[in-house]
Amino acid sequence: MSELKKIRVPDLKKMKQHGDKIVMLTAYDATMARLIDQAGVDVLLVGDSLGMVILGHKTTVPVTLEDILYHTKAVARGANRSLVVADMPFMTYQISIEETLRNATRLIQEGGASAVKIEGGRMVTEAVRRLVDAGIPVMGHLGLQPQSIHKLGAFRKQAKTGDAAENLFEDAHALEKSGAFALVLEAIPKEVAREATSRLRIPTIGIGAGPHCDGQVLVSYDALGIYDEFVPTFVKQYAHLGRDIRAAVANYAEDIRKGRFPEQNKPIPISASKRLDA
Ligand code: KIV
């Protein structure tokens, strides 16, 4: 959407109908949310990828509801136009419908998100229906579901056989029928993503799923080159901030060690000294 109107959940379906691509990125703090929002991104996802890129875990499995809640509050403070979607972490929507409703409510009511995202197909459609009935919009997530890493054994491409693709189409249809408003498709062949996109009325948002989805999402730390220890093959790095941060910090350290910062004869401006007094 080009105009600067706030993005709401129903806008995503209209974007699909008009052929406008949906732009989504992850965000985890207020400053980055503000920058990404100001750049015109439609959806900010407080992804459980924060477990890996912010908290230093090896997978998303250890992420808790409190982790997502804390970061959602920060992102919601920084966002203005973008739609804020909060990921529901592992095991916060599988135990019972009551617990699912309670957990999602916290992300909306305390966190300030406008929607939640849930991994899974027919296993989660009852939860999706109950959340949507209660007024909580739900984004689905099929293909590679990183919360199931211990079952999968590795982060690898999904839906590679005809049967697996049919299974994904059935899951996608069930999610749409249950009221999901959009669907993330992660790490699947581009032909499967294209077919799912054409069969569904709700928009698909791809990551490692080729160009035919209704929108695209990346982990912002990947796209900006901040998390640069491992770069998935489908990622395009639009900046190399990891490299730039290391260089800037090395300059800062060298300036201090050589006595170049702070500058000896530079007067401290009034506004800065006021801040020091405050
Ligand atoms: O947690 C996350 O960042 C995600 C995206 C990769 C879609 O789920």
Side-chain angles (χ1 to χ4, degrees), residues 24 26 28 45 47-49 87 117 119 141 184 186 207 217 219:
M24 176 158 127
T26 64
Y28 314 109
L45 172 66
D48 61 0
S49 49
D87 237 348
K117 179 167 81 59
E119 291 182 12
H141 184 149
V184 167
E186 179 164 356
I207 173 164
V217 58
V219 169

Side-chain angles (χ1 to χ4, degrees), residues 22-146:
I22 297 163
V23 181
M24 176 158 127
L25 264 181
T26 64
Y28 314 109
D29 65 76
T31 300
M32 190 70 100
R34 182 171 50 79
L35 294 171
I36 294 174
D37 179 298
Q38 287 169 349
V41 165
D42 302 309
V43 185
L44 294 179
L45 172 66
V46 188
D48 61 0
S49 49
L50 68 83
M52 298 168 78
V53 301
I54 303 289
L55 303 178
H57 295 302
K58 295 240 176 310
T59 72
T60 59
V61 173
V63 175
T64 65
L65 189 74
E66 296 305 325
D67 292 333
I68 294 284
L69 188 56
Y70 176 86
H71 288 277
T72 301
K73 286 179 186 175
V75 168
R77 281 182 216 119
N80 178 32
R81 171 185 172 271
S82 315
L83 181 79
V84 176
V85 178
D87 237 348
M88 293 197 70
F90 180 58
M91 278 301 149
T92 61
Y93 52 91
Q94 291 94 335
I95 290 166
S96 71
I97 294 292
E98 238 176 71
E99 219 173 291
T100 306
L101 286 167
R102 199 173 299 120
N103 291 336
T105 300
R106 291 194 68 196
L107 297 177
I108 303 289
Q109 201 168 44
E110 296 173 42
S114 298
V116 297
K117 179 167 81 59
I118 289 182
E119 291 182 12
R122 280 156 285 179
M123 280 290 290
V124 300
T125 48
E126 174 63 4
V128 172
R129 197 178 56 73
R130 292 291 296 275
L131 287 166
V132 174
D133 283 351
I136 298 179
V138 180
M139 180 179 276
H141 184 149
L142 291 176
L144 177 61
Q145 295 162 39

Side-chain angles (χ1 to χ4, degrees), residues 132-206:
V132 174
D133 283 351
I136 298 179
V138 180
M139 180 179 276
H141 184 149
L142 291 176
L144 177 61
Q145 295 162 39
Q147 291 174 12
S148 302
I149 182 63
H150 294 310
K151 187 169 89 181
L152 298 169
F155 295 113
R156 63 168 76 95
K157 219 175 192 105
Q158 302 294 306
K160 288 190 294 188
T161 64
D163 281 353
E166 270 316 316
N167 206 29
L168 184 141
F169 298 144
E170 281 176 32
D171 279 338
H173 178 64
L175 286 166
E176 176 172 83
K177 223 171 131 207
S178 308
F181 71 94
L183 187 54
V184 167
L185 295 176
E186 179 164 356
I188 60 172
K190 62 177 190 281
E191 299 76 18
V192 177
R194 175 164 51 195
E195 183 61 25
T197 301
S198 78
R199 287 191 192 190
L200 294 171
R201 272 165 302 152
I202 57 171
T204 59
I205 302 176

